Amino acid sequence: MAVWQFTFKPIPRPAPGASPEDLWARFGWEVQPIPESLLSRLCDLLPLKETYGTGDDVTLVYGEQSQNDIHVFYEDGRAVSFRLDLRNPDVPLLRAIVEATAAVDAVFVSSDERVCSRPSGMW
């Protein structure tokens, strides 16, 4: 990850009282499938640029890895990750990510700070 990029993930809303560290270790889309409504909305935001892997171990990359991108991982469980280019913030893209994530009642977790926040309260 470049120094100008901020990375975060949406995950299902955890049980009350879960610590941020627990969110990474025990919560995520491994227990339940990533909602198709979330995937379809996110995949419409940026063009598919790359696909890595085969079979069940696939990573789809939407957008440019040197700018804004969305990774959808199907290896070792399932996950979605966003990287936003802070040199040139794309507010409409961030708003669309927040709205798509809030629509499935998920929360954001920062990979660096391990902080959980409610996306629905941002706008």
Side-chain angles (χ1 to χ4, degrees), residues 34-49 60-63 70-74 80 82 93 96-97 100:
I34 300 170
E36 285 300 321
S37 60
L38 176 61
L39 287 177
S40 66
R41 287 178 74 172
L42 295 176
C43 294
D44 287 343
L45 297 176
L46 297 169
L48 179 63
K49 290 293 185 171
L60 306 175
V61 180
Y62 296 86
I70 299 170
H71 285 76
V72 178
F73 304 95
Y74 290 100
V80 176
F82 308 109
L93 175 62
I97 290 170

Short mmCIF file of all heavy atoms in Angstrom, two decimals, residues 34-49 60-63 70-74 80 82 93 96-97 100:
data_model
loop_
_atom_site.label_atom_id
_atom_site.label_comp_id
_atom_site.label_asym_id
_atom_site.label_seq_id
_atom_site.Cartn_x
_atom_site.Cartn_y
_atom_site.Cartn_z
N ILE A 34 -20.87 -12.65 1.52
CA ILE A 34 -20.93 -11.23 1.23
C ILE A 34 -22.26 -10.98 0.51
O ILE A 34 -22.56 -11.67 -0.46
CB ILE A 34 -19.76 -10.79 0.33
CG1 ILE A 34 -18.42 -11.06 1.00
CG2 ILE A 34 -19.88 -9.31 -0.03
CD1 ILE A 34 -17.22 -10.88 0.09
N PRO A 35 -23.06 -10.05 0.99
CA PRO A 35 -24.35 -9.81 0.33
C PRO A 35 -24.18 -9.46 -1.15
O PRO A 35 -23.35 -8.61 -1.50
CB PRO A 35 -24.94 -8.64 1.11
CG PRO A 35 -24.25 -8.67 2.43
CD PRO A 35 -22.87 -9.19 2.15
N GLU A 36 -24.94 -10.13 -1.99
CA GLU A 36 -24.87 -9.84 -3.43
C GLU A 36 -25.21 -8.38 -3.72
O GLU A 36 -24.65 -7.79 -4.64
CB GLU A 36 -25.80 -10.77 -4.21
CG GLU A 36 -25.27 -12.18 -4.33
CD GLU A 36 -23.93 -12.26 -5.05
OE1 GLU A 36 -23.71 -11.53 -6.03
OE2 GLU A 36 -23.09 -13.06 -4.61
N SER A 37 -26.10 -7.80 -2.92
CA SER A 37 -26.45 -6.39 -3.14
C SER A 37 -25.24 -5.49 -2.91
O SER A 37 -25.04 -4.50 -3.63
CB SER A 37 -27.60 -5.97 -2.22
OG SER A 37 -27.24 -6.13 -0.85
N LEU A 38 -24.40 -5.83 -1.93
CA LEU A 38 -23.18 -5.05 -1.70
C LEU A 38 -22.21 -5.24 -2.85
O LEU A 38 -21.68 -4.27 -3.39
CB LEU A 38 -22.53 -5.46 -0.38
CG LEU A 38 -21.20 -4.79 -0.05
CD1 LEU A 38 -21.35 -3.28 0.07
CD2 LEU A 38 -20.59 -5.37 1.22
N LEU A 39 -21.98 -6.48 -3.24
CA LEU A 39 -21.04 -6.75 -4.33
C LEU A 39 -21.46 -6.07 -5.63
O LEU A 39 -20.64 -5.46 -6.31
CB LEU A 39 -20.88 -8.24 -4.56
CG LEU A 39 -20.09 -9.00 -3.51
CD1 LEU A 39 -20.08 -10.48 -3.82
CD2 LEU A 39 -18.69 -8.46 -3.39
N SER A 40 -22.73 -6.16 -5.97
CA SER A 40 -23.18 -5.57 -7.23
C SER A 40 -23.04 -4.06 -7.22
O SER A 40 -22.63 -3.46 -8.21
CB SER A 40 -24.60 -6.00 -7.57
OG SER A 40 -25.51 -5.48 -6.64
N ARG A 41 -23.34 -3.43 -6.08
CA ARG A 41 -23.20 -1.97 -6.01
C ARG A 41 -21.73 -1.56 -6.08
O ARG A 41 -21.38 -0.60 -6.76
CB ARG A 41 -23.84 -1.43 -4.73
CG ARG A 41 -25.35 -1.47 -4.78
CD ARG A 41 -25.99 -0.98 -3.53
NE ARG A 41 -25.89 0.47 -3.40
CZ ARG A 41 -26.50 1.17 -2.46
NH1 ARG A 41 -27.26 0.55 -1.56
NH2 ARG A 41 -26.35 2.48 -2.39
N LEU A 42 -20.87 -2.29 -5.39
CA LEU A 42 -19.45 -1.95 -5.39
C LEU A 42 -18.81 -2.18 -6.75
O LEU A 42 -18.00 -1.38 -7.21
CB LEU A 42 -18.71 -2.75 -4.31
CG LEU A 42 -19.10 -2.47 -2.87
CD1 LEU A 42 -18.35 -3.41 -1.94
CD2 LEU A 42 -18.85 -1.02 -2.51
N CYS A 43 -19.19 -3.27 -7.39
CA CYS A 43 -18.58 -3.61 -8.68
C CYS A 43 -19.00 -2.63 -9.78
O CYS A 43 -18.34 -2.55 -10.81
CB CYS A 43 -18.94 -5.04 -9.06
SG CYS A 43 -18.20 -6.26 -7.94
N ASP A 44 -20.09 -1.91 -9.55
CA ASP A 44 -20.51 -0.89 -10.51
C ASP A 44 -19.75 0.42 -10.36
O ASP A 44 -19.81 1.29 -11.23
CB ASP A 44 -22.01 -0.60 -10.36
CG ASP A 44 -22.87 -1.73 -10.90
OD1 ASP A 44 -22.35 -2.56 -11.67
OD2 ASP A 44 -24.06 -1.77 -10.54
N LEU A 45 -19.02 0.58 -9.25
CA LEU A 45 -18.35 1.85 -8.98
C LEU A 45 -17.07 2.05 -9.78
O LEU A 45 -16.75 3.17 -10.18
CB LEU A 45 -18.02 1.96 -7.48
CG LEU A 45 -19.22 1.97 -6.54
CD1 LEU A 45 -18.75 2.00 -5.10
CD2 LEU A 45 -20.11 3.17 -6.85
N LEU A 46 -16.32 0.99 -9.97
CA LEU A 46 -15.05 1.06 -10.67
C LEU A 46 -14.96 -0.10 -11.66
O LEU A 46 -15.51 -1.17 -11.40
CB LEU A 46 -13.88 0.98 -9.68
CG LEU A 46 -13.77 2.12 -8.66
CD1 LEU A 46 -12.74 1.78 -7.59
CD2 LEU A 46 -13.40 3.43 -9.35
N PRO A 47 -14.24 0.06 -12.77
CA PRO A 47 -14.14 -1.03 -13.74
C PRO A 47 -13.25 -2.17 -13.24
O PRO A 47 -12.27 -1.94 -12.54
CB PRO A 47 -13.52 -0.35 -14.96
CG PRO A 47 -12.77 0.82 -14.41
CD PRO A 47 -13.54 1.28 -13.21
N LEU A 48 -13.61 -3.40 -13.61
CA LEU A 48 -12.78 -4.56 -13.30
C LEU A 48 -11.49 -4.45 -14.08
O LEU A 48 -11.50 -4.31 -15.30
CB LEU A 48 -13.51 -5.86 -13.65
CG LEU A 48 -12.74 -7.16 -13.40
CD1 LEU A 48 -12.44 -7.33 -11.92
CD2 LEU A 48 -13.51 -8.34 -13.93
N LYS A 49 -10.36 -4.48 -13.38
CA LYS A 49 -9.06 -4.32 -14.03
C LYS A 49 -8.23 -5.60 -14.04
O LYS A 49 -7.51 -5.86 -14.98
CB LYS A 49 -8.25 -3.21 -13.33
CG LYS A 49 -8.79 -1.83 -13.57
CD LYS A 49 -8.62 -1.45 -15.02
CE LYS A 49 -9.05 -0.01 -15.24
NZ LYS A 49 -8.73 0.47 -16.56
N LEU A 60 -10.53 -10.31 -7.23
CA LEU A 60 -10.94 -9.39 -8.28
C LEU A 60 -10.54 -7.98 -7.86
O LEU A 60 -10.78 -7.58 -6.72
CB LEU A 60 -12.46 -9.45 -8.49
CG LEU A 60 -13.05 -10.83 -8.76
CD1 LEU A 60 -14.56 -10.75 -8.81
CD2 LEU A 60 -12.50 -11.40 -10.05
N VAL A 61 -9.92 -7.24 -8.78
CA VAL A 61 -9.48 -5.87 -8.49
C VAL A 61 -10.24 -4.92 -9.41
O VAL A 61 -10.14 -5.02 -10.63
CB VAL A 61 -7.96 -5.70 -8.69
CG1 VAL A 61 -7.54 -4.27 -8.37
CG2 VAL A 61 -7.20 -6.70 -7.84
N TYR A 62 -10.99 -4.02 -8.79
CA TYR A 62 -11.74 -3.00 -9.51
C TYR A 62 -11.03 -1.67 -9.31
O TYR A 62 -10.66 -1.32 -8.19
CB TYR A 62 -13.17 -2.90 -8.98
CG TYR A 62 -13.96 -4.16 -9.21
CD1 TYR A 62 -13.91 -5.22 -8.31
CD2 TYR A 62 -14.76 -4.30 -10.34
CE1 TYR A 62 -14.63 -6.37 -8.53
CE2 TYR A 62 -15.49 -5.46 -10.56
CZ TYR A 62 -15.41 -6.49 -9.65
OH TYR A 62 -16.13 -7.64 -9.87
N GLY A 63 -10.82 -0.92 -10.38
CA GLY A 63 -10.13 0.36 -10.29
C GLY A 63 -8.63 0.19 -10.47
O GLY A 63 -8.14 -0.89 -10.79
N ILE A 70 -10.96 -1.37 -5.33
CA ILE A 70 -11.75 -2.26 -4.50
C ILE A 70 -11.27 -3.68 -4.80
O ILE A 70 -11.20 -4.08 -5.95
CB ILE A 70 -13.26 -2.15 -4.82
CG1 ILE A 70 -13.76 -0.72 -4.56
CG2 ILE A 70 -14.06 -3.18 -4.02
CD1 ILE A 70 -15.16 -0.46 -5.08
N HIS A 71 -10.89 -4.40 -3.76
CA HIS A 71 -10.49 -5.79 -3.89
C HIS A 71 -11.59 -6.68 -3.33
O HIS A 71 -12.08 -6.42 -2.23
CB HIS A 71 -9.21 -6.08 -3.10
CG HIS A 71 -7.97 -5.55 -3.73
ND1 HIS A 71 -7.63 -4.23 -3.71
CD2 HIS A 71 -6.98 -6.18 -4.40
CE1 HIS A 71 -6.47 -4.06 -4.33
NE2 HIS A 71 -6.06 -5.23 -4.77
N VAL A 72 -11.97 -7.69 -4.07
CA VAL A 72 -12.90 -8.69 -3.59
C VAL A 72 -12.12 -10.00 -3.56
O VAL A 72 -11.67 -10.49 -4.60
CB VAL A 72 -14.15 -8.81 -4.50
CG1 VAL A 72 -15.07 -9.90 -3.97
CG2 VAL A 72 -14.88 -7.47 -4.59
N PHE A 73 -11.93 -10.54 -2.34
CA PHE A 73 -11.13 -11.75 -2.14
C PHE A 73 -12.05 -12.93 -1.90
O PHE A 73 -12.97 -12.86 -1.09
CB PHE A 73 -10.23 -11.60 -0.90
CG PHE A 73 -9.33 -10.41 -0.92
CD1 PHE A 73 -9.70 -9.23 -0.30
CD2 PHE A 73 -8.11 -10.47 -1.56
CE1 PHE A 73 -8.87 -8.12 -0.30
CE2 PHE A 73 -7.26 -9.37 -1.57
CZ PHE A 73 -7.65 -8.20 -0.94
N TYR A 74 -11.77 -14.03 -2.57
CA TYR A 74 -12.50 -15.28 -2.33
C TYR A 74 -11.54 -16.36 -1.83
O TYR A 74 -11.90 -17.51 -1.77
CB TYR A 74 -13.18 -15.75 -3.61
CG TYR A 74 -14.34 -14.86 -4.00
CD1 TYR A 74 -14.19 -13.90 -4.98
CD2 TYR A 74 -15.57 -14.98 -3.38
CE1 TYR A 74 -15.25 -13.08 -5.34
CE2 TYR A 74 -16.63 -14.17 -3.73
CZ TYR A 74 -16.47 -13.23 -4.70
OH TYR A 74 -17.51 -12.42 -5.06
N VAL A 80 -13.84 -8.00 1.42
CA VAL A 80 -13.83 -6.86 0.52
C VAL A 80 -12.91 -5.84 1.16
O VAL A 80 -12.93 -5.65 2.37
CB VAL A 80 -15.24 -6.25 0.34
CG1 VAL A 80 -15.19 -5.01 -0.51
CG2 VAL A 80 -16.20 -7.27 -0.24
N PHE A 82 -11.13 -1.80 0.52
CA PHE A 82 -11.08 -0.57 -0.27
C PHE A 82 -9.74 0.13 -0.02
O PHE A 82 -9.25 0.14 1.11
CB PHE A 82 -12.18 0.42 0.17
CG PHE A 82 -13.54 -0.16 0.21
CD1 PHE A 82 -14.17 -0.41 1.41
CD2 PHE A 82 -14.22 -0.45 -0.96
CE1 PHE A 82 -15.45 -0.93 1.45
CE2 PHE A 82 -15.49 -0.97 -0.92
CZ PHE A 82 -16.11 -1.21 0.28
N LEU A 93 -17.18 8.81 -4.84
CA LEU A 93 -16.85 7.39 -4.69
C LEU A 93 -16.97 6.99 -3.22
O LEU A 93 -17.58 5.96 -2.90
CB LEU A 93 -15.43 7.10 -5.20
CG LEU A 93 -14.93 5.67 -4.98
CD1 LEU A 93 -15.80 4.66 -5.72
CD2 LEU A 93 -13.47 5.55 -5.39
N ALA A 96 -20.59 6.71 -2.27
CA ALA A 96 -21.20 5.49 -2.82
C ALA A 96 -20.79 4.26 -2.02
O ALA A 96 -21.61 3.36 -1.78
CB ALA A 96 -20.83 5.33 -4.29
N ILE A 97 -19.54 4.19 -1.59
CA ILE A 97 -19.06 3.08 -0.76
C ILE A 97 -19.80 3.08 0.58
O ILE A 97 -20.25 2.03 1.04
CB ILE A 97 -17.54 3.16 -0.56
CG1 ILE A 97 -16.81 2.84 -1.87
CG2 ILE A 97 -17.08 2.22 0.56
CD1 ILE A 97 -15.32 3.13 -1.84
N ALA A 100 -23.47 1.98 0.05
CA ALA A 100 -23.58 0.55 -0.23
C ALA A 100 -23.34 -0.28 1.03
O ALA A 100 -24.03 -1.27 1.28
CB ALA A 100 -22.59 0.15 -1.33
#
